[in-house]
Amino acid sequence: MSIRNKNGIWYYEFMAEGKRYSGTCLDKTGAPTGNERVAQAYERAKREELGSVRANKSLKALVENYREELTGSRAIPLREAYERSLGKPRKRIPGVARQALKAAHWQNFLAYMEDVYPEVTHLAAVSRHHAENFVANLSLYGKYTPRKPGKRREAHPLSGATITDHITTITEVFSLLADDAGLVGNPFANIPKPSLQTETRQPFTLEELKTIKENLDDFTRPLFTIAIATALREGDICTLKWSEIDLTNLVIRRGKMRKTQVGVDIPIMPPLAVYLEELLEKRTDSGEYAQYVLPLHAEMYLHNRSGVSYRIKTFLEEKCHIVTLSKPAGRDRAVSVKDLHSCRHTFCYYAGLYGIPMNIVQGIVGHMTPEMTKLYSNHASLEAKREKMQLLPDFLNLADGTNPHTIGNCSQDPEIHDLLKQLPHQYAEEIKQILEIMIKSGPRTVIELRRQLTG
């Protein structure tokens, strides 16, 4: 017998898994009991309680079994989790395109769970085991598609960056809903992320830039003209508005870059200023897209952004014979290495060659995290950017006959130097001095002079 009476009070004592348990038997009021039946019932209840606790071999398991009682939370279905996470406060609100991508990542995870683990229907039921298997599936087979009966799945691994993006999205959903769902831990926390070694876009060579210039058409000319002079991304070029162009002070003030949501101020160099003036003269105030610098490109990008990329890719491959794709080792899909985005890399590459400080480049192209970009931008004033950008050559010779090197120091340009050698010495020296004065007087002088010369 595991209960005993001492001085009219019943006590229990029993062994369980090599451990002794003992204490006073209590009645419903919590007072020591002298009733044998009440003592026996209390002893049985203690044994059952002990067995239940042992069944919960971890804190997580305990919370799983007593979730509602302990946390006051409710089970959140996997199908509802992503939408509910959108209502939670966060540091940065993702743009429309980014939200669509995040939703696709969650739908991929949901499809995997519903097909492979159909018994797991709620957020709290997802374990570390499920998370690791899902990430392994991404690494081996890529985006999840249900396997057809009797057919083996083919390997289509995703890039390290895409897998990391999936993990980040799903981890965020679990974190945002942790309190609502009464989660003890995040199953995706600290999941090893793959290496981000990928094929990056490459800068155009000077020969490629020459070929591009010779083959530009009405569609590609404005894109490459703005890209090579500003390092803006495709989306920012297509959606650039006239309200962001200040031709008086020669600066582009982009309030928010579409990708990073960070604002940048980019000096407008003389060749680009001339080109923008030409576009402004042709501008019409009517139409849904009249606010954009490139209305036709804006319309296409906002309704079918892949159409813009496709036309650029076709232009580079068919007209310029530039290889745009490369197949990374271990991947079965080729990735883009030469496209409009390469103009950003070209800009940065030649900025390095010309000795422009990194903080100046950072302030212009908006690289790195928003915090770091802001830090560098604060140290790079608009005039400092303009001064340093004067060193860059006019890669595409956009200034209609102006030699690439005339922006920085016209006397060092090979063609002007040869021309000056052919003139009588006294005239050559005078012309050289005039040119130097013209350049030093500022970019507006160059633009105005061009207007006068061209009528």
Side-chain angles (χ1 to χ4, degrees), residues 260-287:
T260 63
Q261 300 298 300
V262 174
V264 293
D265 292 349
I266 304 175
I268 299 174
M269 291 296 97
L272 179 60
V274 171
Y275 185 73
L276 291 174
E277 292 274 12
E278 294 174 355
L279 292 179
L280 187 59
E281 291 176 1
K282 300 175 183 178
R283 180 191 180 191
T284 60
D285 294 328
S286 60

Side-chain angles (χ1 to χ4, degrees), residues 366-379:
H367 271 310
M368 298 176 64
T369 63
E371 292 77 16
M372 290 299 292
T373 301
K374 182 178 180 181
L375 175 65
Y376 279 116
S377 296
N378 287 342
H379 291 291

